[in-house]
Short mmCIF file of all heavy atoms in Angstrom, two decimals:
data_model
loop_
_atom_site.label_atom_id
_atom_site.label_comp_id
_atom_site.label_asym_id
_atom_site.label_seq_id
_atom_site.Cartn_x
_atom_site.Cartn_y
_atom_site.Cartn_z
N ARG A 75 7.82 132.36 -42.94
CA ARG A 75 8.55 133.45 -43.58
C ARG A 75 9.71 132.92 -44.41
O ARG A 75 9.93 133.38 -45.53
CB ARG A 75 9.05 134.45 -42.53
CG ARG A 75 7.90 135.19 -41.87
CD ARG A 75 8.37 136.13 -40.80
NE ARG A 75 8.99 135.38 -39.70
CZ ARG A 75 9.61 135.94 -38.68
NH1 ARG A 75 9.73 137.24 -38.60
NH2 ARG A 75 10.12 135.21 -37.72
N LEU A 76 10.44 131.93 -43.90
CA LEU A 76 11.54 131.35 -44.67
C LEU A 76 11.01 130.63 -45.91
O LEU A 76 11.62 130.71 -46.98
CB LEU A 76 12.35 130.38 -43.82
CG LEU A 76 13.28 131.01 -42.80
CD1 LEU A 76 14.03 129.92 -42.03
CD2 LEU A 76 14.26 131.98 -43.45
N ASP A 77 9.89 129.95 -45.78
CA ASP A 77 9.29 129.28 -46.93
C ASP A 77 8.91 130.30 -48.01
O ASP A 77 9.16 130.08 -49.20
CB ASP A 77 8.06 128.48 -46.49
CG ASP A 77 7.44 127.72 -47.64
OD1 ASP A 77 8.15 126.90 -48.27
OD2 ASP A 77 6.25 127.95 -47.92
N TRP A 78 8.32 131.42 -47.60
CA TRP A 78 7.97 132.47 -48.56
C TRP A 78 9.23 132.96 -49.27
O TRP A 78 9.24 133.12 -50.49
CB TRP A 78 7.26 133.63 -47.84
CG TRP A 78 6.90 134.74 -48.76
CD1 TRP A 78 5.71 134.90 -49.42
CD2 TRP A 78 7.72 135.85 -49.16
NE1 TRP A 78 5.75 136.03 -50.20
CE2 TRP A 78 6.98 136.63 -50.06
CE3 TRP A 78 9.01 136.24 -48.85
CZ2 TRP A 78 7.49 137.79 -50.64
CZ3 TRP A 78 9.53 137.39 -49.43
CH2 TRP A 78 8.76 138.15 -50.31
N ALA A 79 10.29 133.19 -48.52
CA ALA A 79 11.55 133.68 -49.10
C ALA A 79 12.14 132.68 -50.09
O ALA A 79 12.55 133.05 -51.19
CB ALA A 79 12.55 133.99 -47.99
N ARG A 80 12.16 131.42 -49.71
CA ARG A 80 12.71 130.38 -50.59
C ARG A 80 11.90 130.27 -51.88
O ARG A 80 12.46 130.20 -52.97
CB ARG A 80 12.73 129.03 -49.88
CG ARG A 80 13.80 128.91 -48.85
CD ARG A 80 13.82 127.47 -48.28
NE ARG A 80 14.67 127.41 -47.13
CZ ARG A 80 14.24 127.21 -45.89
NH1 ARG A 80 12.96 127.03 -45.64
NH2 ARG A 80 15.08 127.18 -44.89
N ARG A 81 10.57 130.23 -51.74
CA ARG A 81 9.72 130.12 -52.94
C ARG A 81 9.88 131.33 -53.85
O ARG A 81 9.72 131.21 -55.06
CB ARG A 81 8.25 129.95 -52.54
CG ARG A 81 7.95 128.54 -52.03
CD ARG A 81 6.47 128.32 -51.74
NE ARG A 81 6.05 129.06 -50.56
CZ ARG A 81 5.18 130.08 -50.56
NH1 ARG A 81 4.60 130.47 -51.66
NH2 ARG A 81 4.88 130.70 -49.44
N GLY A 82 10.23 132.48 -53.26
CA GLY A 82 10.43 133.69 -54.05
C GLY A 82 11.83 133.83 -54.62
O GLY A 82 12.14 134.82 -55.27
N GLY A 83 12.69 132.86 -54.35
CA GLY A 83 14.03 132.88 -54.91
C GLY A 83 15.05 133.68 -54.11
O GLY A 83 16.14 133.96 -54.60
N CYS A 84 14.72 134.02 -52.89
CA CYS A 84 15.68 134.75 -52.05
C CYS A 84 16.77 133.79 -51.58
O CYS A 84 16.49 132.68 -51.15
CB CYS A 84 14.99 135.36 -50.83
SG CYS A 84 13.83 136.68 -51.25
N ALA A 85 18.01 134.23 -51.69
CA ALA A 85 19.14 133.41 -51.28
C ALA A 85 19.58 133.73 -49.86
O ALA A 85 20.37 132.98 -49.27
CB ALA A 85 20.32 133.64 -52.24
N ARG A 86 19.08 134.82 -49.30
CA ARG A 86 19.50 135.28 -47.98
C ARG A 86 18.30 135.78 -47.20
O ARG A 86 17.34 136.26 -47.78
CB ARG A 86 20.44 136.47 -48.20
CG ARG A 86 21.70 136.48 -47.44
CD ARG A 86 22.52 137.67 -47.89
NE ARG A 86 22.07 138.86 -47.18
CZ ARG A 86 22.81 139.53 -46.32
NH1 ARG A 86 24.05 139.17 -46.12
NH2 ARG A 86 22.35 140.57 -45.70
N ALA A 87 18.39 135.69 -45.89
CA ALA A 87 17.34 136.24 -45.03
C ALA A 87 17.99 137.02 -43.90
O ALA A 87 19.00 136.59 -43.34
CB ALA A 87 16.47 135.12 -44.46
N VAL A 88 17.42 138.16 -43.58
CA VAL A 88 17.87 138.99 -42.48
C VAL A 88 16.72 139.09 -41.49
O VAL A 88 15.59 139.36 -41.87
CB VAL A 88 18.26 140.41 -42.98
CG1 VAL A 88 18.62 141.32 -41.83
CG2 VAL A 88 19.38 140.33 -43.99
N VAL A 89 17.02 138.84 -40.22
CA VAL A 89 15.99 138.88 -39.19
C VAL A 89 16.07 140.21 -38.44
O VAL A 89 17.13 140.58 -37.95
CB VAL A 89 16.16 137.71 -38.19
CG1 VAL A 89 15.11 137.78 -37.10
CG2 VAL A 89 16.12 136.39 -38.92
N TRP A 90 14.96 140.91 -38.39
CA TRP A 90 14.87 142.15 -37.61
C TRP A 90 14.37 141.80 -36.22
O TRP A 90 13.42 141.05 -36.07
CB TRP A 90 13.90 143.14 -38.27
CG TRP A 90 14.44 143.68 -39.54
CD1 TRP A 90 14.13 143.23 -40.80
CD2 TRP A 90 15.37 144.73 -39.71
NE1 TRP A 90 14.83 143.96 -41.72
CE2 TRP A 90 15.61 144.89 -41.07
CE3 TRP A 90 16.07 145.56 -38.81
CZ2 TRP A 90 16.48 145.83 -41.58
CZ3 TRP A 90 16.92 146.51 -39.32
CH2 TRP A 90 17.13 146.64 -40.68
#
Side-chain angles (χ1 to χ4, degrees):
R75 293 178 296 173
L76 285 181
D77 182 58
W78 179 92
R80 286 185 191 111
R81 285 185 289 114
C84 293
R86 227 176 83 115
V88 175
V89 178
W90 290 98

